[in-house]
Amino acid sequence: MKELIKHVLDLRVVAIRQVHERYVLLRLSQHERLPEMLPGQFVEVRVDGHSQTFLRRPISINFVDREHNELWLLVAIVGEGTRWMASLQPGDVLNVVGPLGHGFSVPAAGTDVLLVGGGVGVAPLLYQGATLLSLGHRPVFLLGARKAQDLLLLDEFRKYGEVFVTTEDGSAGERGFVTQHSLLQQRQFPLIQTCGPTPMMKAVAHYARQANTVCEASLENLMACGLGACLCCVEKTVEGNLCVCKEGPVFNIKRLLWQV
């Protein structure tokens, strides 16, 4: 996978939308054309005006709208830094460094690809799905949440492929976890790509091993610097300890020491 040039960008907030009580969707742009960004990569966002938030916040690239020259970030409101992001208004400026990390792979020929996500982990799957579709592949989304109200951006996902849903309480789609969805018994996929809570991804990885299917997981380890310098995001792999922000965040599960 090619290495993209990293940029420091002052991006203007075009729009901000509350998509859930705990999530906002930021749409960002600039006068110049946005640099190339790949699905599965992320940016590090500077939090301004707060003495206790001196570290940048890593946010997955949710989507790149080339027609309108926009970068979309789906932000989970979990602390002081992300609450500040959620308070931004159109016209405000957000400083980001990116694109960072290595993203999802893209198959060489037209392929059915299953994209499995949960929680804010669905964010990078939207851009990956759109990219796969544009290259002649057939993305299929399998999205899980605790309840119907927690499912995010379903209308956007439906633009790029079939969407299947599970909820733990059965309020939408099939009841249970993503790995319990009947789709996995009905269809075989040569490639699965997943992002979400670690227990969910480990269960998806277990299914993929049993089905002899190639699987990639986008890890969500805590990442402070985004450049592999601070070592806070280290993951144990078959190659030793690797920085998720630099060597990942996307890994083939064969590289991971996941016991499931």
Side-chain angles (χ1 to χ4, degrees):
M1 185 176 292
K2 64 180 176 180
E3 188 81 19
L4 297 186
I5 298 173
K6 300 174 181 63
H7 300 263
V8 180
L9 305 170
D10 285 321
L11 301 180
R12 176 177 51 85
V13 177
V14 174
I16 181 168
R17 177 163 66 96
Q18 190 96 28
V19 297
H20 183 279
E21 62 182 5
R22 297 192 307 275
Y23 300 95
V24 295
L25 179 64
L26 282 168
R27 291 166 44 202
L28 310 167
S29 188
Q30 63 178 11
H31 292 300
E32 298 79 13
R33 183 172 176 80
L34 289 171
E36 184 178 1
M37 303 179 189
L38 300 176
Q41 291 188 300
F42 67 99
V43 296
E44 287 275 359
V45 178
R46 191 178 71 201
V47 178
D48 295 327
H50 292 267
S51 61
Q52 297 180 343
T53 54
F54 57 92
L55 293 175
R56 289 176 179 264
R57 298 303 193 262
I59 306 292
S60 295
I61 294 171
N62 177 221
F63 191 72
V64 179
D65 182 344
R66 288 297 175 189
E67 180 181 357
H68 298 97
N69 198 41
E70 291 181 357
L71 166 64
W72 294 10
L73 302 179
L74 182 63
V75 180
I77 306 169
V78 295
E80 194 65 32
T82 48
R83 277 195 292 272
W84 174 80
M85 286 183 230
S87 72
L88 294 170
Q89 300 295 318
D92 289 342
V93 173
L94 197 64
N95 181 274
V96 306
V97 175
L100 299 171
H102 295 278
F104 294 108
S105 65
V106 176
T111 303
D112 288 351
V113 181
L114 181 63
L115 305 174
V116 185
V120 75
V122 304
L125 303 183
L126 181 65
Y127 188 27
Q128 174 66 348
T131 301
L132 290 170
L133 183 65
S134 71
L135 296 174
H137 304 288
R138 295 171 294 276
V140 178
F141 300 99
L142 176 54
L143 309 176
R146 291 183 178 178
K147 56 185 184 297
Q149 297 92 319
D150 296 335
L151 293 164
L152 304 172
L153 305 179
L154 290 185
D155 288 343
E156 294 296 333
F157 283 105
R158 291 186 180 112
K159 294 177 182 178
Y160 305 108
E162 297 178 86
V163 176
F164 298 87
V165 165
T166 67
T167 50
E168 293 178 29
D169 67 356
S171 55
E174 295 188 10
R175 180 189 293 271
F177 302 117
V178 287
T179 49
Q180 298 170 324
H181 198 285
S182 59
L183 174 69
L184 299 181
Q185 283 72 53
Q186 296 167 357
R187 294 170 64 176
Q188 181 73 26
F189 295 90
L191 174 62
I192 298 175
Q193 297 172 323
T194 184
C195 185
T198 299
M200 183 209 78
M201 290 196 292
K202 286 186 175 182
V204 172
H206 177 72
Y207 165 82
R209 289 191 185 98
Q210 296 295 109
N212 196 30
T213 294
V214 177
C215 182
E216 295 177 344
S218 179
L219 306 192
E220 295 189 316
N221 298 33
L222 291 175
M223 293 181 280
C225 72
L227 300 170
C230 70
L231 305 181
C232 79
C233 65
V234 165
E235 178 79 16
K236 293 181 180 180
T237 75
V238 296
E239 304 152 45
N241 291 338
L242 295 179
C243 290
V244 169
C245 67
K246 186 176 181 181
E247 302 297 331
V250 177
F251 290 86
N252 187 300
I253 60 168
K254 291 182 178 180
R255 301 175 67 190
L256 302 174
L257 296 177
W258 281 356
Q259 300 297 319
V260 294

